[in-house]
Amino acid sequence: MMKIKKVFAATALGLAMVGFGTPAQSAILSDIIFIVDESGSMGTVQTNLRNNIGLFASTLTGTGQVDARYGLVGYGNSSVVPRMVTDLTSASLFATAAAGLGTSGGTEPAYTASAFALNALDGQTSLFSFRSNAVKNIIIFTDEPSNGDTTARGTVGGSAVTQSIVDGLLTTNNALYNAVLSGAGTITSIGPLATGHSGQVFNLSLFNTTNAAQITQFVTDFASAKLQETLTFCQLNPTLPQCQGNNNVPEPGVLALLGIGIAGLGVLRRRKMTQA
């Protein structure tokens, strides 16, 4: 009788824990595209981004709450047309690819580059490999208002890209947008895309420097803001596929207790068969 009671206890405990166990919380997947102005004034910014993407990544993902990949768009170089410098990849490979950014331009079609980052230009052949269940994050670095957004540099639905078109694309993609900018005209031109899509405008002047301590502080603060922004986005939009993760996977401990319960049922059944 005592053995049977123990078997029932093990079975009840295992099945109860399966019923009431807490699901494992998986990291939010985040695919981040950096859009970087390639005009002559952006050399220091490009170097600082390349040298500090590791710090950005460790601050953003070090808590285990976000699993991020990083892609890079260059725009405003001598050819003007936005280009993929690297597809979504690790922080270390991003840093290597970022050495390919240039500083030879003077026309900066930021709206066209933003549409390009979302794979939205008509006939676009260089496509970023966004994960289907990842939150899309766009981050632009520039010191100039969007200019030169002509049909020759890219169209959406046959039209030159405007702020309104980018706004619609961000909404359609449930994408977050952040802007690291300097200059009142630049903030007026691009800032509303950030503030209208769960993001912020950051001061480019704090990053366009050789002061190592200031750079470190900026990157840490920026990445921390991005982390909180991503978490808040999913708190406000819990039903979006991007915010679901694999949260239906039981904790390992729950699976172990299920095994105990099943084993207990097996022992009880064998005992009954023996007694019969």
Side-chain angles (χ1 to χ4, degrees), residues 85-201:
V85 180
T86 182
D87 194 4
L88 290 151
T89 187
S90 66
S92 59
L93 292 177
F94 175 98
T96 300
L101 287 167
T103 54
S104 61
T107 301
E108 300 91 353
Y111 300 148
T112 307
S114 297
F116 179 86
L118 291 166
N119 294 339
L121 291 182
D122 296 334
Q124 183 173 331
T125 56
S126 297
L127 301 175
F128 290 97
S129 56
F130 290 108
R131 293 170 287 187
S132 61
N133 58 341
V135 177
K136 295 178 181 177
N137 283 270
I138 309 298
I139 304 173
I140 189 167
F141 289 76
T142 184
D143 58 359
E144 293 290 342
S146 190
N147 61 90
D149 293 286
T150 65
T151 55
R153 281 142 194 173
T155 60
V156 173
S159 299
V161 187
T162 62
Q163 185 189 91
S164 177
I165 286 175
V166 176
D167 179 69
L169 292 172
L170 292 168
T171 299
T172 300
N173 284 272
N174 288 312
L176 311 184
Y177 197 95
N178 281 275
V180 186
L181 311 172
S182 64
T186 309
I187 293 171
T188 299
S189 172
I190 301 171
L193 294 173
T195 56
H197 293 277
S198 302
Q200 303 176 53
V201 175

Side-chain angles (χ1 to χ4, degrees), residues 9-272:
T11 302
L13 177 61
L15 295 179
M17 289 301 292
V18 169
F20 297 103
T22 302
Q25 296 297 309
S26 60
I28 297 170
L29 303 182
S30 179
D31 285 340
I32 301 173
I33 305 293
F34 289 89
I35 304 173
V36 180
D37 179 349
E38 294 188 276
S39 59
S41 59
M42 293 291 288
T44 299
V45 170
Q46 294 175 10
T47 298
N48 289 341
L49 177 61
R50 182 171 68 249
N51 292 342
N52 290 276
I53 187 64
L55 173 60
F56 178 91
S58 63
T59 303
L60 178 67
T61 64
T63 61
Q65 294 169 290
V66 173
D67 173 4
R69 300 187 305 164
Y70 309 92
L72 181 58
V73 172
Y75 79 104
N77 63 10
S78 56
S79 65
V80 181
V81 179
R83 63 193 182 97
M84 178 190 290
V85 180
T86 182
D87 194 4
L88 290 151
T89 187
S90 66
S92 59
L93 292 177
F94 175 98
T96 300
L101 287 167
T103 54
S104 61
T107 301
E108 300 91 353
Y111 300 148
T112 307
S114 297
F116 179 86
L118 291 166
N119 294 339
L121 291 182
D122 296 334
Q124 183 173 331
T125 56
S126 297
L127 301 175
F128 290 97
S129 56
F130 290 108
R131 293 170 287 187
S132 61
N133 58 341
V135 177
K136 295 178 181 177
N137 283 270
I138 309 298
I139 304 173
I140 189 167
F141 289 76
T142 184
D143 58 359
E144 293 290 342
S146 190
N147 61 90
D149 293 286
T150 65
T151 55
R153 281 142 194 173
T155 60
V156 173
S159 299
V161 187
T162 62
Q163 185 189 91
S164 177
I165 286 175
V166 176
D167 179 69
L169 292 172
L170 292 168
T171 299
T172 300
N173 284 272
N174 288 312
L176 311 184
Y177 197 95
N178 281 275
V180 186
L181 311 172
S182 64
T186 309
I187 293 171
T188 299
S189 172
I190 301 171
L193 294 173
T195 56
H197 293 277
S198 302
Q200 303 176 53
V201 175
F202 296 85
N203 186 352
L204 182 67
S205 299
L206 297 177
F207 195 54
N208 191 9
T209 179
T210 57
N211 184 317
Q214 181 173 306
I215 293 167
T216 298
Q217 188 63 57
F218 175 86
V219 172
T220 302
D221 291 345
F222 182 39
S224 297
K226 280 299 302 176
L227 171 60
Q228 187 56 55
E229 171 190 308
T230 303
L231 297 177
T232 299
F233 175 78
C234 281
Q235 289 167 359
L236 295 175
N237 301 279
T239 61
L240 287 179
Q242 300 95 312
C243 298
Q244 296 300 303
N246 296 316
N247 290 339
N248 292 324
V249 178
E251 294 280 8
V254 174
L255 293 176
L257 287 168
L258 174 60
I260 292 172
I262 293 173
L265 288 171
V267 170
L268 178 58
R269 183 178 180 184
R270 286 195 299 272
R271 183 177 181 84
K272 286 183 175 179

